[in-house]
Amino acid sequence: MKYTTKRLRKVCDKLLSVLNSISEEKVYAPTFDKWSIKDSVAHINGWNIQRVVDLENILSGEEMKKIDDFDAFNEVSVSERKEYDWSYILKEYVDSCEKMIESFEKVPGEMFNDPIWTGSSLTIQKLLEIDTNHIE
């Protein structure tokens, strides 16, 4: 399947529609292991925001930061947002999706399949696939 920013936008919008249908009291209840829906969205927001930084770095000729410990990154993303209410997290989700899509759209087509790091098979196209699947 071809991963595009159009598909990423559709996936972001679909999740937003689901999130808008959930009562506020339910978003705070633990549902996924130890995380609530709010925590799960906070974790997505953290990755969306990191991807914007990654793409900005790549476009400016800098190397993308490698994150080796995904669990630690997730915990930081959730804990940094613990004190925020659901409306803040939801707005951050909308904003971070939009900024991430805009960042992918700034990437010249010829760069989409270039390796991000020397000797790596990870490309911007693969990041787009990862991010689309992550939200989906």
Side-chain angles (χ1 to χ4, degrees):
M1 172 174 283
K2 176 88 169 140
Y3 290 86
T4 62
T5 54
K6 183 178 178 181
R7 180 157 183 256
L8 177 58
R9 182 177 305 281
K10 190 175 187 177
V11 168
C12 285
D13 290 347
K14 184 177 178 181
L15 179 57
L16 179 61
S17 177
V18 170
L19 295 172
N20 280 328
S21 73
I22 301 169
S23 71
E24 190 162 336
E25 84 177 18
K26 286 185 180 177
V27 300
Y28 292 101
T31 32
F32 305 107
D33 189 24
K34 60 185 174 183
W35 284 356
S36 64
I37 292 170
K38 175 187 168 259
D39 294 334
S40 296
V41 176
H43 134 261
I44 290 171
N45 295 352
W47 282 107
N48 290 355
I49 292 164
Q50 182 60 49
R51 186 65 71 229
V52 170
V53 171
D54 293 341
L55 293 170
E56 287 174 354
N57 287 345
I58 290 168
L59 288 172
S60 67
E62 297 174 38
E63 191 166 284
M64 185 177 115
K65 175 184 169 185
K66 287 185 182 181
I67 298 173
D68 295 318
D69 190 341
F70 295 152
D71 290 336
F73 182 89
N74 290 339
E75 287 302 320
V76 168
S77 291
V78 171
S79 66
E80 284 179 343
R81 293 166 175 81
K82 254 316 181 211
E83 300 304 315
Y84 294 118
D85 67 10
W86 176 236
S87 63
Y88 178 92
I89 297 298
L90 200 55
K91 181 177 181 336
E92 185 182 52
Y93 170 76
V94 170
D95 293 345
S96 67
C97 278
E98 189 58 39
K99 287 177 185 167
M100 182 172 61
I101 291 165
E102 289 172 1
S103 295
F104 274 115
E105 289 175 340
K106 289 178 186 175
V107 176
E110 64 273 7
M111 287 181 69
F112 257 77
N113 292 307
D114 292 344
I116 290 176
W117 300 292
T118 305
S120 170
S121 62
L122 186 62
T123 64
I124 293 173
Q125 180 63 50
K126 182 67 179 169
L127 292 176
L128 180 56
E129 178 182 343
I130 291 166
D131 294 334
T132 301
N133 289 333
H134 188 231
I135 294 169
E136 198 167 39

